[in-house]
Amino acid sequence: MSYAVAPTGARTRLMSEMRALRKEKWIHFEDDDTDNILKWHFGLMVINSESAFNGGYFRAEMVFTDEYPYQPPKFRFLIPITHPNIYPDGQLCISILHKPGEDIMSGEEASERWSPLQGAESVLRSVLLLLDDPEINSPANVDAGVMYRDRRDEYLQKARETVDKSKKDIPVGFEMPTTFEAAPPPKQENDNDFWADESDEEYDFGGSDTGDDEEMGDFEDEEEGDEEGEEDEEQDGSEEDDEEHDAVY
């Protein structure tokens, strides 16, 4: 099934996607020129301590057609990278960049390949994941695949050399991020002084002082006096009852 899309439709969508991507910390667009919105130049940054390419700034380009988003873009690194899934010319062997539909020959399902529901951000995130986790079963660079499988130390050394070279492409004045996490909010000032400045009278949590003890003693004396008075009254009432009883008999 074929799709057609007006050139203005592709450009409008790409403008929207670029605006959103400019807010991300892992991609840096190298210019603000949007006249040729169908061709992007940018740097992809790997900020993952577990990645062989951690700290790398990899210049790349992505080219779209007027049929976007119904046809996938083309992606290519502009720096040589020794990686099982990267061709010598910088292009990638990755399913998401393959045309829509199921491919019986490759065994790729339609869900693995490009679809209009995908976007530029989906492609770029897939590329970053591929750098961290190569697929060596169907390598674009067989030598790199064998090196990754059998001589991992040599592969990691090659990756570090590539990262060092890539840092020379960092634009002047651009500061590489060290993490994708947002900075924590500023720590609040210590509130201990707040409690020290207040008087005990304003914040009485049930403690007693000398005045309270005296008042409590007076209160207990009054209670004892009341109890003695009640006992006297009961005794007087009992004596009167005895006198009345004697008078009757």
Side-chain angles (χ1 to χ4, degrees), residues 28-96:
H28 174 68
F29 287 91
E30 297 183 344
D31 56 54
D32 294 327
D33 183 17
T34 56
D35 292 338
N36 188 10
I37 192 64
L38 297 180
K39 191 171 185 178
W40 294 5
H41 287 94
F42 49 86
L44 275 183
M45 286 158 277
V46 180
I47 311 298
N48 177 4
S49 60
E50 298 181 358
S51 172
F53 298 95
N54 180 44
Y57 180 94
F58 301 118
R59 295 183 67 245
E61 70 176 14
M62 194 149 52
V63 180
F64 305 84
T65 70
D66 287 339
E67 294 181 276
Y68 182 81
Y70 300 107
Q71 293 298 325
K74 293 181 179 180
F75 179 96
R76 168 171 92 91
F77 281 112
L78 301 180
I79 178 177
I81 300 177
T82 302
H83 186 282
N85 307 115
I86 301 178
Y87 292 100
D89 64 354
Q91 295 192 58
L92 273 69
C93 179
I94 185 171
S95 298
I96 194 174

Side-chain angles (χ1 to χ4, degrees), residues 161-180:
E161 292 173 359
T162 302
V163 169
D164 291 339
K165 291 179 181 178
S166 75
K167 291 181 178 180
K168 298 177 181 178
D169 292 329
I170 299 176
V172 177
F174 177 76
E175 185 176 350
M176 280 279 291
T178 57
T179 177
F180 293 142

Side-chain angles (χ1 to χ4, degrees), residues 97-114:
L97 292 177
H98 296 165
K99 291 183 178 181
E102 193 172 298
D103 186 351
I104 299 177
M105 296 297 294
S106 66
E108 291 178 345
E109 297 181 1
S111 59
E112 300 175 298
R113 297 162 68 92
W114 178 261

Side-chain angles (χ1 to χ4, degrees), residues 4-245:
V5 60
T8 54
R11 286 172 166 78
T12 300
R13 172 160 170 168
L14 287 170
M15 288 286 288
S16 175
E17 291 192 36
M18 179 181 282
R19 280 196 299 268
L21 282 167
R22 286 184 184 276
K23 300 176 182 178
E24 298 290 343
K25 297 176 66 175
W26 46 269
I27 181 172
H28 174 68
F29 287 91
E30 297 183 344
D31 56 54
D32 294 327
D33 183 17
T34 56
D35 292 338
N36 188 10
I37 192 64
L38 297 180
K39 191 171 185 178
W40 294 5
H41 287 94
F42 49 86
L44 275 183
M45 286 158 277
V46 180
I47 311 298
N48 177 4
S49 60
E50 298 181 358
S51 172
F53 298 95
N54 180 44
Y57 180 94
F58 301 118
R59 295 183 67 245
E61 70 176 14
M62 194 149 52
V63 180
F64 305 84
T65 70
D66 287 339
E67 294 181 276
Y68 182 81
Y70 300 107
Q71 293 298 325
K74 293 181 179 180
F75 179 96
R76 168 171 92 91
F77 281 112
L78 301 180
I79 178 177
I81 300 177
T82 302
H83 186 282
N85 307 115
I86 301 178
Y87 292 100
D89 64 354
Q91 295 192 58
L92 273 69
C93 179
I94 185 171
S95 298
I96 194 174
L97 292 177
H98 296 165
K99 291 183 178 181
E102 193 172 298
D103 186 351
I104 299 177
M105 296 297 294
S106 66
E108 291 178 345
E109 297 181 1
S111 59
E112 300 175 298
R113 297 162 68 92
W114 178 261
S115 81
L117 298 178
Q118 307 284 5
E121 182 174 348
S122 301
V123 172
L124 296 175
R125 288 187 180 275
S126 296
V127 171
L128 289 174
L129 289 173
L130 189 67
L131 282 175
D132 295 346
D133 187 18
E135 172 54 60
I136 63 173
N137 292 327
S138 56
N141 186 331
V142 176
D143 292 339
V146 173
M147 187 188 305
Y148 180 84
R149 184 191 64 193
D150 299 335
R151 306 189 306 277
R152 186 66 59 87
D153 290 343
E154 183 179 346
Y155 176 83
L156 295 176
Q157 179 60 34
K158 285 279 189 182
R160 284 191 290 269
E161 292 173 359
T162 302
V163 169
D164 291 339
K165 291 179 181 178
S166 75
K167 291 181 178 180
K168 298 177 181 178
D169 292 329
I170 299 176
V172 177
F174 177 76
E175 185 176 350
M176 280 279 291
T178 57
T179 177
F180 293 142
E181 299 295 332
K187 185 178 180 180
Q188 295 183 352
E189 296 181 0
N190 196 329
D191 292 336
N192 290 338
D193 294 339
F194 170 79
W195 299 105
D197 292 341
E198 302 295 341
S199 65
D200 293 337
E201 294 180 358
E202 295 181 8
Y203 294 94
D204 185 357
F205 294 105
S208 62
D209 52 26
T210 305
D212 294 337
D213 293 340
E214 293 177 354
E215 292 178 0
M216 184 60 71
D218 295 340
F219 177 74
E220 292 175 351
D221 291 342
E222 290 178 0
E223 284 188 338
E224 291 177 358
D226 293 340
E227 291 176 357
E228 291 177 356
E230 291 176 359
E231 291 178 357
D232 293 341
E233 290 179 359
E234 290 178 358
Q235 184 174 357
D236 293 342
S238 177
E239 292 177 353
E240 290 177 358
D241 291 340
D242 293 338
E243 291 177 356
E244 291 179 358
H245 182 274

